[in-house]
Amino acid sequence: MNENFIILEMFQHEVSCCCPGQKHKHMIEFHPSDVWTIIDEQKYDDSLGWHFLVTVNGEFQFLIQVDDIEELSNEGRICSLMDLELKMMHLNFKVNESLDQHDEEAFTLFANELSNVQKIMENGYSSLGIEA
């Protein structure tokens, strides 16, 4: 699988161990531009369901439930790198369109959003050691 997701907004996530009773828990704080690489390593627990191994910025790993990944994605806190690249292309189109229409308000709005997305993408790529 090895799919990359990028954090879009800061959040904390409680990480539990997969031992019976989930005795070991702690909070991990994630920041915009952190990159999760979901490794093709899975664990199933009868009471907790499927977990994927995630590497964060190539620095540390943790297990996360599949449902948590889906929830974070649906909330807009994380998205795939491919989806973020598509969003950048769309925003670039909207900036050009607003220029063509001489719509200063729309231009400012889309240009600021594009700038923010580009910063997140560049920082995310640099955390992976990739030049954007």
Side-chain angles (χ1 to χ4, degrees):
M1 180 176 187
N2 284 14
E3 187 169 351
N4 291 315
F5 287 86
I6 193 159
I7 307 302
L8 300 176
E9 62 182 49
M10 189 187 93
F11 67 92
Q12 292 183 339
H13 184 73
E14 184 175 75
V15 177
S16 306
C17 67
C18 291
C19 61
Q22 295 181 328
K23 295 177 185 172
H24 311 100
K25 295 182 182 186
H26 60 283
M27 296 296 279
I28 300 177
E29 189 168 276
F30 299 102
H31 301 276
S33 302
D34 284 346
V35 176
W36 288 3
T37 303
I38 298 179
I39 310 296
D40 195 21
E41 190 171 315
Q42 306 161 20
K43 179 177 173 118
Y44 182 78
D45 182 276
D46 287 336
S47 61
L48 302 172
W50 283 103
H51 289 72
F52 283 110
L53 183 63
V54 175
T55 301
V56 180
N57 299 331
E59 297 172 0
F60 66 93
Q61 296 178 332
F62 70 99
L63 288 169
I64 187 169
Q65 289 181 310
V66 173
D67 293 342
D68 290 343
I69 295 171
E70 289 176 10
E71 182 179 329
L72 290 166
S73 179
N74 290 338
E75 292 173 351
R77 294 177 178 224
I78 67 172
C79 76
S80 71
L81 285 176
M82 184 181 296
D83 285 341
L84 196 58
E85 288 176 10
L86 289 172
K87 183 174 184 167
M88 283 177 41
M89 285 185 240
H90 175 73
L91 289 170
N92 196 34
F93 169 78
K94 296 303 273 183
V95 165
N96 290 333
E97 182 181 61
S98 62
L99 280 172
D100 291 342
Q101 296 172 352
H102 304 287
D103 185 347
E104 186 177 339
E105 187 177 328
F107 170 78
T108 302
L109 176 75
F110 292 124
N112 287 337
E113 190 174 350
L114 178 60
S115 177
N116 292 337
V117 170
Q118 285 173 326
K119 286 177 190 171
I120 290 172
M121 181 67 85
E122 288 170 6
N123 292 337
Y125 276 146
S126 70
S127 72
L128 291 175
I130 300 171
E131 246 181 80

